[in-house]
Amino acid sequence: MNETPDRATTVVKDPVRVRMAPSPTGYLHIGGARTALFNWLFAKHYNGKFILRIDDTDMARSTDESMHEIYTALKWLGLEWDEGGDKGGPCGTYVQSERKAIYEGYVAQLLESGNAYHCYCTPEELEEIRTQARGNKQLRSYDGRCRDLTSEVVERYVAEGRKPTVRIKMPETPIRVDDIILGSRNIDPATLEDEVIVRSNGMPNYNLTSIIDDAVMKITHVIRGTEHLNNTPKQIAIAIALGLNVPQFAHIPLVLDSSGRKMSKRHHGDLVAVNRYREQGYLPKAMLNFVVRLGWSYDDKQEIFSVDELIEKFDLERVGKSGSVFDIKKLEWLNSHYINQLDVAARTDAVIPFWQEAGLLNNSIENRSWLEDIVAAVGERLTTLQDIVPQTSYFFTDAFEYDPKAVKKWWGNSEEKRERTRAILTNISQILEEIPTFDIETIEAAIWKYTDENNIKRVAAMQGLRIALTGTSFGPSLFDIVVILSRATVLKRVQKALEFLSGNP
RNA sequence: GCCGCUAUCGUCUAGGGGUUAGGACGGGUGGUUCUCAGCCACCAAACCGGGGUUCGAAUCCCCGUAGCGGUACCA
């Protein structure tokens, strides 16, 4: 019982209450989505509550707009919260900037008990202390010089118009931090400095508000990114000084970019924005499945998890300790998997907004079954929903270019080859014009009959026709395309191709 | 600089004192097909290094090294 465990274990005695506490200073990013998901799954698994708290004590950077963007992104992912955000709950408002009075009470208590003090140092002075401390290889960058200011000095500072901050007085005894994922350790208090808990403008800081709200909101488990690991002992110290309950901690490893750095808005822009993936046609299920496997695994067999399965199987014990690289290829694979899982009707529903966005479709859908035919023809070729646009635009418009490489390969770049292509297209055109019923079986039989009897390679005939009808050398089965396009359009496009082929090669 | 965390194929990971170190993504090869995608089959690809402990270490211990995170009146 005296050995340090590699990990702490998840203890569940009270009803589980977890929270996601974003600061509304931008969109929800991948790392935030994963934190939200882990918290949400943990809550669902234990039948607990998932709380959304808005940590907006940095008034200069927080915006309402970003707060609403975070709501939207979370809702899109299906990570609904039980309390907080725009929803409220038994703890009143869950927006920290509106909870100032609560923190003020605790700060007064800290000041009174001598666990906190006013600091009159200016930013310039602090900067100087910092550089000096660094030069001297000091453990901390603030030396606690305002801990015992005489009343004369304080009066002078006040007279100068200095506005003080409030600092917490760090304890002298080691602080024990238990982490479900990373294990336990004792923090040497000499490495902890007297953190600013209230700014000179009166607004409290993260380390104070976070631990107070965690206690007040009866949060049982704090699941957050490891970038907060170094804040943990500070927050525990504040909780102890205030006599508040300390939640259990679980620090989840970071999501990294391909060069191993933390994914951040600052360095990766909207590449990390959840909204961007929605706009590009990724499915929430795919995002969730992808993101959960960044750091968590179930066994050596399963990659695909439904949300219900995740709720059942997720636990913190199987979250790894090291960071995980965001691999877009794997996301793409999962996304195509989930798109393919959709039946044609559902897939059509999913894809319609992307056609509309691209201007290929009006808001009023009159040709639903035709659209479904297109989706069925496209089959399992979509990686993202947005792929529907480049892959099917030729169904909606005649205005496409012939891909030069395809033209060169299949139509030929010599007059001789083009003459041959013209002959084939002319013949096929005639076959299609005369065919009694314009359906796949009849057309297929007629075309094969023509190619085989005339010793024409099937590929050559089909690819030649494909370019005429779509402009490209790849895509769905050509017979599907022909039927969906209708006889009139097909004949018209072959005519156009013949004219093109009569021009200069 | 200081504090802290981490370390299995390119990537996500399973495993863990004796295994051909398993799976998935990605990559490659072949098959199917009117193309592409898909599907099927196969292939290449890893235990950071050095010391211990042990009959035996990728696994346990120690020391390195590297990477990352933090180091604000941000969160």
Side-chain angles (χ1 to χ4, degrees), chain A residues 18-24 50-57 67 70-71 74 81-86 91 93-97 99 103 206-219 221-222 224 228 235 247:
Chain A
V18 294
R19 49 55 164 201
M20 155 85 176
S23 72
F50 174 56
I51 291 143
L52 179 62
R53 191 176 75 212
I54 304 297
D55 283 11
D56 65 340
T57 51
M67 193 164 83
I70 290 169
Y71 294 161
L74 248 19
W81 47 99
D82 301 295
E83 295 170 27
D86 51 358
C91 300
T93 174
Y94 292 74
V95 178
Q96 289 195 325
S97 59
R99 298 171 61 80
Y103 312 125
Y206 169 74
N207 280 314
L208 180 82
T209 59
S210 176
I211 196 67
I212 288 175
D213 279 343
D214 288 340
V216 169
M217 296 176 178
K218 296 191 161 41
I219 301 300
H221 304 261
V222 170
R224 60 177 18 165
H228 289 295
Q235 294 173 2

Side-chain angles (χ1 to χ4, degrees), chain A residues 402 411 422 425-430 432-433 464-465 467-469 487-503:
Chain A
Y402 300 124
W411 279 359
R422 278 199 298 269
L425 285 178
T426 307
N427 290 332
I428 290 178
S429 179
Q430 199 170 350
L432 293 175
E433 194 172 353
L465 180 60
I467 297 164
L469 300 184
R487 185 175 347 224
T489 307
V490 169
L491 296 180
K492 186 175 71 187
R493 288 189 186 177
V494 172
Q495 233 5 270
K496 197 175 155 194
L498 287 171
E499 282 161 29
F500 176 92
L501 284 163
S502 300

Side-chain angles (χ1 to χ4, degrees), chain A residues 82-155:
Chain A
D82 301 295
E83 295 170 27
D86 51 358
K87 206 172 237 164
C91 300
T93 174
Y94 292 74
V95 178
Q96 289 195 325
S97 59
E98 296 164 8
R99 298 171 61 80
K100 228 180 131 187
I102 295 169
Y103 312 125
E104 277 163 1
Y106 286 101
V107 172
Q109 194 181 321
L110 249 14
L111 250 14
E112 201 160 323
S113 62
N115 283 306
Y117 59 93
H118 290 287
C119 169
Y120 289 87
C121 295
T122 62
E124 295 73 33
E125 284 167 345
L126 258 14
E127 184 55 41
E128 206 184 305
I129 300 169
R130 230 186 327 269
T131 32
Q132 220 168 54
R134 190 174 272 222
N136 297 337
K137 303 191 177 187
Q138 297 283 308
L139 257 40
R140 325 180 247 221
S141 58
Y142 178 69
D143 54 11
R145 63 175 58 181
C146 293
R147 275 190 178 203
D148 301 298
L149 257 24
T150 62
S151 49
E152 292 83 55
V153 177
V154 171
E155 269 170 41

